[in-house]
Every structure is written in C-alpha cells, then in structure tokens.
Amino acid sequence: MISPYRLLLLYPHLISCCIAIGCIFLCDIKIMLNKFKLDKNISNFLNEISKIVSVCLIILWITGIALICFDCGHLPHLSDLTKPKLFTKLIVVSILTINGYFLHRLVINKSKQNFKNIIYTIGALSGGSWFYAIFLGIAKPLNNIWTIREFLGVYIILISILIIGVNSIIFALRIRAILKIFKLEQLIKK
C-alpha cells in the first residue's frame, strides 16, 4: 500500500514533470511551425519557457531526492543508488540539468543562425531525455529485469536517433535552400 506521505511528495513531482514536458513539447511545436527559423520572437519565447522548466527541474530534484529518502527509509547509501532504474534516472536527470544550463545560458540567449545545429542538437538531447525520464518513472516492471547497461543502452540509442534525425532535417532544409538559390540564379541568367 502506498503511504499518503509518499503521495504528498509524488504529486508535486508528477505535476512538475507534466508542466516541464508540456513546455518542451510546446517549444518544439513552435519551432517547427516557424520552419526551424530562430528569430527574436522564438528566442524570447524559449527564454521565458526555459524559466518555467528550470523551476520544474528544481522541484523535481527536491521531490525526487525526498522520494528516494522516503523509499529507502533513510538517507540513501551508495548501495541504494545502484538499482538499475534509479541509477539511470539519476544520470538522465543530471544530463537534463547540465543540458538545461547550456541550453539556457549558451544557446537561447544567443540564438543566431550559426548556432542552429547546436541549438537543435541540445534540443534533441533535452526532449529525448525528458521523455526517457518519464519512461523511467513508469518502468517499474523493468526494474528487476533490465540491467543498468540495458537502461542506458536504450537511452543512448534514443538520443542518437533524435540527434541524427534533427541534424538530418536541418541538413535537408539547407540543401533545399541552396537549391532554391541555385534555381533563382539560373532564372536570372536566362
């Protein structure tokens, strides 16, 4: 039976996760609708949304650590943190935190066209990590089946596919733009 005290920790944890993933999804849609162009409007939007996601991430860390302590019945020992799913979740959330810092400090505030690949690569890492963290939250049945290697392997494959996919889209858009320019040059010459 789940303790009501655990539910008091779990509720803000889940709400923060839902708000954060909603914001991430909203950013992705806004960027796609803007045809992957990073103008000042998009930059300002990303900057505001990143503040909300940052607050959610802080709440997730606080409630997550509290949940770990609650589940262990004490401050966790190193042996408690080596459970495959928990260990993977700590790695993914740490990557999210570091990635969020770089996304906010280094990219969003300088979103010029020459940062496009970096922005989309970091964005793919962010979106994939958020969705994988959610998967880990519901993956209790796999906790005693998968090893750390399997949890991390799936994560690495997911992130690799997303990064390759995003950069392929950017490459295709650049080729398309070059072809349009080339066709215009041919029309001018005629």
Side-chain angles (χ1 to χ4, degrees):
M1 183 167 161
I2 296 178
S3 164
Y5 299 113
R6 188 177 195 286
L7 289 177
L8 288 174
L9 293 171
L10 189 58
Y11 188 70
H13 191 77
L14 293 176
I15 293 297
S16 295
C17 187
C18 290
I19 291 170
I21 198 68
C23 288
I24 300 297
F25 194 63
L26 188 61
C27 287
D28 291 345
I29 289 172
K30 188 145 178 118
I31 289 169
M32 283 186 259
L33 290 175
N34 203 40
K35 298 179 182 175
F36 291 89
K37 292 179 185 153
L38 296 173
D39 54 26
K40 189 160 179 75
N41 219 6
I42 294 288
S43 181
N44 290 339
F45 178 76
L46 292 176
N47 197 25
E48 292 303 312
I49 291 292
S50 72
K51 292 174 188 173
I52 296 168
V53 174
S54 296
V55 170
C56 290
L57 198 53
I58 290 167
I59 293 169
L60 284 165
W61 270 108
I62 292 167
T63 56
I65 291 170
L67 283 164
I68 292 169
C69 292
F70 188 86
D71 290 345
C72 292
H74 51 75
L75 287 175
H77 295 108
L78 194 55
S79 62
D80 295 322
L81 301 179
T82 58
K83 295 175 183 169
K85 189 177 77 119
L86 177 60
F87 185 76
T88 305
K89 191 182 280 191
L90 289 171
I91 288 174
V92 171
V93 175
S94 296
I95 289 170
L96 271 172
T97 304
I98 294 165
N99 187 63
Y101 172 81
F102 284 111
L103 190 61
H104 183 70
R105 298 282 180 224
L106 302 177
V107 179
I108 290 174
N109 295 331
K110 298 175 175 129
S111 61
K112 297 175 183 162
Q113 291 301 324
N114 56 341
F115 284 103
K116 192 181 269 191
N117 280 55
I118 295 170
I119 291 170
Y120 293 133
T121 299
I122 291 174
L125 178 62
S126 176
S129 296
W130 277 103
F131 278 103
Y132 196 69
I134 290 170
F135 165 74
L136 291 172
I138 63 167
K140 272 196 181 194
L142 298 175
N143 202 25
N144 296 322
I145 299 171
W146 282 12
T147 64
I148 292 171
R149 180 179 286 158
E150 290 165 320
F151 277 114
L152 288 176
V154 170
Y155 175 66
I156 290 167
I157 290 168
L158 171 70
I159 295 304
S160 299
I161 289 169
L162 290 173
I163 289 172
I164 290 168
V166 161
N167 282 291
S168 296
I169 291 169
I170 298 303
F171 180 74
L173 290 172
R174 285 187 179 153
I175 294 296
R176 186 175 171 195
I178 290 169
L179 290 175
K180 281 184 181 179
I181 292 170
F182 184 69
K183 285 180 183 178
L184 286 176
E185 286 178 359
Q186 284 183 342
L187 289 175
I188 292 171
K189 287 180 182 178
K190 290 182 181 181

